[in-house]
Amino acid sequence: MIKNIIKIHPNDNVLVALADLQPGQTVQWEGKEYPVTEAIPAKHKLAIRTFEPGDAITMYGVLVGKAKSRIPAGGALTTFNVQHATNTYAQANKQMNWQAPAVDRWQARSFMGYHRADGKVGTANYWLVIPLVFCENRNIQVLEEALVNDLGYKRRHTYQRQTQELIEMMQAGKTVEDILQADLQSSLAEHAKPRLFPNIDGVKFLAHDGGCGGTRQDAQALCGLLAGYITHPNVAGATVLSLGCQNAQVCLLQEEIQKRDPQFAKPLYVLEQQKIGTEESLISQALRQTFAGLMLANANVRRPAPLSKLTLGLECGGSDGFSGISANPAVGYTSDLLVALGGTVILAEFPELCGVEQELCDRCVDTDTAARFSSLMQAYSQSAIAVGSGFDMNPSPGNIRDGLITDAMKSAGAAKKGGTSPVVAVLDYPEPVTQPGLNLLCTPGNDVESTTAEVGSGATVVLFTTGLGTPTGNPIAQVVKLSSNTALARRMPDIIDINTGTVIDGEETIEQAGARILDYIIQVASGEQEVSAVRHGQDDFIPWKRGVSL
């Protein structure tokens, strides 16, 4: 029988509506009855006792807010009667006796990946074309126009055919109403030409608006991020365009590459426009070198690799009131499985860890790791407050509309993606991951900035949970989109890869969903399954400037 409510943690004093609740209705949980006193939409919260102003509100066993005004038992929690609140936290070193999940089912499994000289294994094989400064974006676009179609990487969309249909209707004398009611042909995407290099998944162009005009710290961080992409196991080599006079100098990029891979051996071609001269000379030289690099990169083929070589990035965006009940805990179980298999996991979005700091400090493997997490969280929070913002402003209008009315409430569910394993390292943006296990990475909660950062730190596949739907992808890492509810999976099937609404529907446990996700990841990592973001060519890339972005 499908439940209409759920209590997430035994210590919680609210229930989550799994379906719309009406006034006068009585709901039951573990033998107790709770009368509903007002309409409570699905995903929103019901008070199981009367709250007076200042009373603590608990979800996931942690403080997620305080009552601003009186909330009667059976009433709805809203932004009008609840305000963000979290407990204070201290650095800690409580030794964990982590109970790793059983992984016998996957011990002998492998994935088919691209092996690199530094021992890492990629789940894809891309060539990058990168500008060191926004001044080179046009030249990047020129190279893209010259390369992508003839090499077989351009996807042909039939939306142009829909435009032709509309033109033909207008020329035939059809009215505006006819146009608006027209049933146009379905749009499909396919490669216009076969790939010239079958072992290369694509040539990706990382245009951005940085590299000059900002602070020197911005330039250093950008070079670190770009070095993370160049040294990434999903990347075969890169062509870099520099103007010459920008803050993000070639020497900074080279230093950052050396930090990440002292024995760097991939093909890397760096061209400086102010030295070369004309655009034609620059583009011609870039084309020759890039083509030669592709010929070299095409010699690499997929070979078996242990699952311990996988690095998962964990992300959420367009979250809803079900995200922290279905998709995020299921991903958390997947994370625990991969850690138990010797793999690596990256949990980011520091504004969305607000409220669970103590738990994460307690899970850190030593006091230094806990201290670094605490320091980065406090510095980030203070920088937001200094410009008149704060972590409490993190939930978006869509989050709030779907039941995530405080940042702590959102964070407590978002943190579930990290599972239960010990925190082995805490990284500041754009540092690379170097240790297997669960890593915390300081990034904003912004979907694309955070995904961009996780991949720059080494994530080869990203698990991206969503309750409202978002098409976010990445140029070089497969972004697997997981819906928190079945209605979304049915409404937006073109962008959703996995439905975890089965947990809400009572068809599957969190553990079963997590195991299913890991099986899917192995297929994706082996090139056997194309995710929706890759199919749509969703190549989102936004470097984080170390200002305040929540």
Side-chain angles (χ1 to χ4, degrees), residues 274-352:
Q274 289 173 344
K275 287 182 178 178
I276 293 173
T278 66
E279 175 191 296
E280 182 178 356
S281 297
L282 176 74
I283 297 301
S284 178
Q285 188 172 336
L287 284 172
R288 292 195 306 272
Q289 292 181 339
T290 300
F291 198 89
L294 290 169
M295 292 172 66
L296 295 172
N298 192 54
N300 198 348
V301 298
R302 289 185 182 271
R303 293 186 286 119
L307 300 187
S308 59
K309 292 292 186 179
L310 289 172
T311 300
L312 291 184
L314 310 176
E315 186 66 32
C316 55
S319 300
D320 71 345
F322 287 161
S323 293
I325 304 172
S326 57
N328 292 347
V331 164
Y333 188 71
T334 306
S335 300
D336 284 348
L337 290 173
L338 188 63
V339 170
L341 288 162
T344 306
V345 175
I346 304 172
L347 178 64
E349 300 177 287
F350 271 29
E352 297 183 9

Side-chain angles (χ1 to χ4, degrees), residues 336-388:
D336 284 348
L337 290 173
L338 188 63
V339 170
L341 288 162
T344 306
V345 175
I346 304 172
L347 178 64
E349 300 177 287
F350 271 29
E352 297 183 9
L353 301 180
C354 175
V356 293
E357 295 98 334
Q358 189 65 62
E359 176 196 346
L360 291 170
C361 281
D362 292 348
R363 286 169 58 184
C364 288
V365 292
D366 54 45
T367 54
D368 287 345
T369 303
R372 192 172 200 220
F373 172 62
S374 176
S375 175
L376 287 171
M377 282 292 288
Q378 290 174 5
Y380 197 164
S381 176
Q382 290 165 5
S383 67
I385 293 170
V387 294

Side-chain angles (χ1 to χ4, degrees), residues 178-334:
D178 293 331
I179 294 292
L180 292 174
Q181 298 298 321
D183 184 14
L184 303 178
Q185 292 183 10
S186 298
S187 62
L188 300 173
E190 58 184 17
H191 288 288
K193 294 182 179 182
R195 290 182 187 175
L196 181 63
F197 301 109
N199 297 321
I200 299 175
D201 293 292
V203 182
K204 298 296 182 177
F205 304 81
L206 306 188
H208 56 81
D209 64 357
C212 202
T215 66
R216 292 297 191 270
Q217 290 84 353
D218 284 342
Q220 187 80 47
L222 176 64
C223 287
L225 178 72
L226 296 179
Y229 274 72
I230 291 169
T231 59
H232 195 281
N234 287 3
V235 170
T239 303
V240 177
L241 298 191
S242 167
L243 180 59
C245 57
Q246 72 276 351
N247 287 344
Q249 286 287 297
V250 172
C251 61
L252 287 180
L253 178 66
Q254 292 170 333
E255 288 172 5
E256 292 292 340
I257 289 173
Q258 284 297 305
K259 288 180 186 177
R260 288 157 176 77
D261 185 1
Q263 306 300 319
F264 182 73
K266 294 178 182 178
L268 177 65
Y269 306 114
V270 180
L271 300 96
E272 190 166 299
Q273 186 172 10
Q274 289 173 344
K275 287 182 178 178
I276 293 173
T278 66
E279 175 191 296
E280 182 178 356
S281 297
L282 176 74
I283 297 301
S284 178
Q285 188 172 336
L287 284 172
R288 292 195 306 272
Q289 292 181 339
T290 300
F291 198 89
L294 290 169
M295 292 172 66
L296 295 172
N298 192 54
N300 198 348
V301 298
R302 289 185 182 271
R303 293 186 286 119
L307 300 187
S308 59
K309 292 292 186 179
L310 289 172
T311 300
L312 291 184
L314 310 176
E315 186 66 32
C316 55
S319 300
D320 71 345
F322 287 161
S323 293
I325 304 172
S326 57
N328 292 347
V331 164
Y333 188 71
T334 306

Side-chain angles (χ1 to χ4, degrees), residues 100-149:
V103 291
D104 294 350
R105 171 176 160 186
W106 295 277
Q107 287 283 12
R109 296 283 298 275
S110 62
F111 71 99
M112 298 296 289
Y114 292 96
H115 293 248
R116 305 299 179 190
D118 61 1
K120 296 176 183 177
V121 181
T123 60
N125 197 31
Y126 287 103
W127 187 274
L128 293 182
V129 183
I130 299 176
L132 270 182
V133 61
F134 56 81
C135 306
E136 291 297 322
N137 280 346
R138 180 185 173 277
N139 289 329
I140 293 293
Q141 185 178 29
V142 170
L143 285 171
E144 184 172 6
E145 291 171 352
L147 285 167
V148 171
N149 184 53

